[in-house]
Structures are given as C-alpha cells and as structure tokens.
Amino acid sequence: MDTKIILLLLVTALAALHTTQGFPAFPPISCCTRVVNYFTKHLGKRVTKVEIQKTNHCTIKAVVLHIRKRKLCVDPNNKVLKKWLKARKIPM
C-alpha cells in the first residue's frame, strides 16, 4: 500500500477514537476514596438513592448515599447504617 493511504487510515482511526462514539459504552468508574463513620436516622430521611461499592473495581468497600445532588460514602460496618439498610430491605 501507498504510505499516504496508510497514513490517512491511521489518522482516521485515531480521530475516531477521540470522538465520543469511539469510546466503549461503559461509564467511567467513580470510587469512594475514603468513608465516614457517622450515619443518623435524620440523614437517612434525606437519602434519595443507595449504591453498594464493592472491592471489584474499587479499593475500599462503602455504601454510597445520594443526598440531594451530593454523594456521601459511609463505612458499611456502621451499626446504625446496617439497621437502616435492613429496614429498607437493601442487601449489602
């Protein structure tokens, strides 16, 4: 093949990788890097969503609580949190 054609194919392939269509359909992984050890029933009333972070892709275990537009990473060993999750039938 002509070097110009190879260069053109290479530039086209690189351009495709830099567009949003070129990246895989997986969302970026966002991990908690530290956890807090406090959780109160009052805080639990404001939770809109709960996620369990396991150590598959992240280095620490955490319960991610969505409160309004913020995320709070809580220690999964917190006794009040465990009781709160169990009352709502959320598996750990």
Side-chain angles (χ1 to χ4, degrees), residues 21-77:
Q21 300 297 326
F23 288 109
F26 302 108
I29 297 172
S30 174
C31 296
C32 296
T33 55
R34 57 186 162 161
V35 294
V36 297
N37 198 26
Y38 66 88
F39 180 79
T40 62
K41 292 179 185 179
H42 175 71
L43 186 63
K45 291 177 185 178
R46 298 176 19 209
V47 173
T48 57
K49 183 179 174 184
V50 177
E51 293 177 295
I52 308 298
Q53 173 180 298
K54 300 191 178 184
T55 55
N56 298 352
H57 301 286
C58 303
T59 56
I60 61 172
K61 291 181 181 180
V63 177
V64 183
L65 304 175
H66 294 255
I67 302 169
R68 294 185 185 146
K69 293 183 180 182
R70 302 180 87 188
K71 292 181 183 179
L72 178 66
C73 301
V74 183
D75 183 0
N77 296 317

